[in-house]
Amino acid sequence: MDDLDARIVAAAKKRLRAEVAFNSADADLRELLVEGRAAGKGPSHMAKLTGFTREWVAKIAPDPDKKRKIRIVRSKTTDPES
């Protein structure tokens, strides 16, 4: 293995460690956003704290008091016996 190969392997390992750290931090943040919504904090307030958009925060941590709308999609099916 030459020097370039060693640098590529080292960079790949470094990227993997960074990805694991990012995923862990992302999971922690998402959990805190859900906790914040349950505590009555609004998505706009938490968006200001995080730097993310209000829409993103609301998607990650929807209002726990609102019932989720279920969207039913009906498709036309042809009856094979017709």
Side-chain angles (χ1 to χ4, degrees):
M1 186 178 334
D2 63 6
D3 181 50
L4 181 58
D5 291 346
R7 290 187 353 230
I8 290 171
V9 169
K13 287 179 182 179
K14 182 178 178 181
R15 184 195 177 282
L16 181 60
R17 286 191 305 270
E19 183 179 5
V20 169
F22 172 81
N23 289 337
S24 175
D26 187 55
D28 292 343
L29 177 60
R30 289 171 184 257
E31 186 177 308
L32 287 171
L33 291 174
V34 170
E35 188 178 325
R37 288 292 284 173
K41 297 195 179 291
S44 295
H45 174 72
M46 291 190 291
K48 289 177 188 174
L49 297 173
T50 61
F52 295 111
T53 64
R54 189 202 77 73
E55 291 77 14
W56 186 85
V57 172
K59 180 180 175 184
I60 298 305
D63 189 354
D65 296 334
K66 285 190 176 180
K67 291 190 179 194
R68 196 170 203 178
K69 291 182 181 178
I70 298 175
R71 185 176 291 180
I72 299 174
V73 178
R74 299 186 192 273
S75 63
K76 278 189 167 183
T77 58
T78 57
D79 189 10
E81 297 178 11
S82 306

